[in-house]
Amino acid sequence: DMEKGILSEWRHVGGAHAHKAHREASFPTDVIEGAMSVRLHKAKATREEDRQRILNVIAGRGLDLPPLDDHRNYDLVNKALRWRIGLAAHAAIEDGQVPSVRMDDLEAPESWAGRAVAAYSPLCKAYTARGRYPLAERFGVRAVRAAILARNAEVADVCLTAGWAMFENSGFDRAKAHFKRALELREEDLGREDPGVG
């Protein structure tokens, strides 16, 4: 995607992220729907011993113990898998090709907030570049939420990215809060007199 993203036909519409979204738009919908109902602890393995060990590693238990029927770590892994697959298939989901799945229902586990920033912020930029402002705004808002949760050092940049998507989609009034937050964070970090603030 990086290699294709620098070509002129992709560069002006979001670069590598736009190429990736285009490539992933053909993600098989039956696979997406199946993946969204995944329950790792109910899955089968070629050998029961492998299944037992995998589940015990996830649950943080001894490898040779009988696996638990339920554990909060199973839920975390299931949520993470659904989120990752949802990101890979976001173009098909957003275009309504998978009516049983909504991107709004897919959230990264809280402990993955840094990964969420790394995923959502470039998608916001790519969709802004492609003129798909409502979608850019949704990913921008998610990026800001994740950046704040992760206490990410680039929160100001993420707020600015989301603000521009909102500005293009909804106008200045909606974007103003994100622009203001970006300015406050930069003033906090760099000081009011720094040229990077104004």
Side-chain angles (χ1 to χ4, degrees), residues 116-177:
V117 173
Y120 295 146
S121 191
L123 286 169
C124 176
K125 288 178 184 178
Y127 282 118
T128 299
R130 293 173 70 191
R132 295 190 64 186
Y133 303 121
L135 198 50
E137 182 176 331
R138 283 209 299 279
F139 281 115
V141 168
R142 283 175 168 231
V144 170
R145 270 193 256 136
I148 291 168
L149 187 62
R151 292 176 175 74
N152 190 301
E154 290 92 32
V155 174
D157 291 337
V158 172
C159 286
L160 199 56
T161 297
W164 280 115
M166 287 180 169
F167 175 77
E168 295 291 346
N169 185 48
S170 308
F172 182 71
D173 288 342
R174 289 261 338 243
K176 185 178 177 181

Side-chain angles (χ1 to χ4, degrees), residues 18-39:
H19 183 267
K20 184 175 187 279
H22 173 74
R23 183 177 49 78
E24 291 173 346
S26 61
F27 203 92
T29 57
D30 58 327
V31 172
I32 299 167
E33 287 180 332
M36 291 302 123
S37 60
V38 70
R39 293 178 51 175

Side-chain angles (χ1 to χ4, degrees), residues 1-24 90 121-131:
D1 295 321
M2 295 302 285
E3 200 173 283
K4 297 282 188 182
I6 61 173
L7 299 175
S8 61
E9 65 261 30
W10 291 106
R11 193 175 32 225
H12 71 285
V13 292
H17 298 292
H19 183 267
K20 184 175 187 279
H22 173 74
R23 183 177 49 78
E24 291 173 346
H90 78 273
S121 191
L123 286 169
C124 176
K125 288 178 184 178
Y127 282 118
T128 299
R130 293 173 70 191

